[in-house]
Amino acid sequence: QVQVVESGGGLVQPGGSLRLSCTASGSTFRSYTMNWFRQAPGKERELVATITSSSTTHYSDSVKGRFTISRDNAKNTVYLRMNSLKPEDTAVYYCNAQRLSAPYNYWGQGTQVTVSS
């Protein structure tokens, strides 16, 4: 069983910054691919960023250049630094852990990010 917990969401003004954190349990965290998804009301869930066990990163076009995903394996934690935030970034952000054995995917409870003046 892998428990995933996100934190760091909140209200921020346009142009501001926020850092989300996600902690996932498990002795093999270093082998997990970690993802950040987001979902706005009435919209489909969107993959925002990915970081593999080798720390290769991928970003959606909408956040590329503004968001940075990173991981600290010693802390079983993945981060999403969000800069130059826009109102359209408003969503619930979910952390997802992919591991090598079944069950393969685990989800956090989500953390709300609201970008508004």
Side-chain angles (χ1 to χ4, degrees):
Q1 289 289 105
V2 177
Q3 294 177 312
V4 180
V5 180
E6 307 100 328
S7 63
L11 176 64
V12 64
Q13 294 184 347
S17 297
L18 208 58
R19 188 184 73 165
L20 306 183
S21 298
C22 170
T23 299
S25 67
S27 61
T28 58
F29 173 84
R30 56 184 168 81
S31 71
Y32 303 166
T33 290
M34 302 296 296
N35 307 286
W36 284 100
F37 289 81
R38 68 186 182 188
Q39 188 164 25
K43 302 295 183 181
E44 292 186 339
R45 185 182 62 189
E46 173 191 18
L47 177 62
V48 175
T50 294
I51 185 165
T52 70
S53 61
S54 299
S55 293
T56 299
T57 59
H58 303 276
Y59 301 93
S60 68
D61 289 341
S62 61
V63 308
K64 194 174 300 181
R66 299 187 297 121
F67 291 11
T68 302
I69 188 171
S70 61
R71 67 192 298 157
D72 185 342
N73 290 335
K75 297 181 178 180
N76 275 31
T77 299
V78 63
Y79 304 96
L80 186 68
R81 168 61 69 179
M82 305 181 292
N83 295 326
S84 302
L85 283 162
K86 305 174 181 179
E88 51 263 45
D89 294 318
T90 296
V92 177
Y93 284 71
Y94 296 94
C95 183
N96 166 260
Q98 298 174 250
R99 69 175 193 171
L100 298 177
S101 59
Y104 299 108
N105 281 276
Y106 295 85
W107 294 89
Q109 80 289 346
T111 186
Q112 176 71 49
V113 173
T114 302
V115 184
S116 176
S117 60

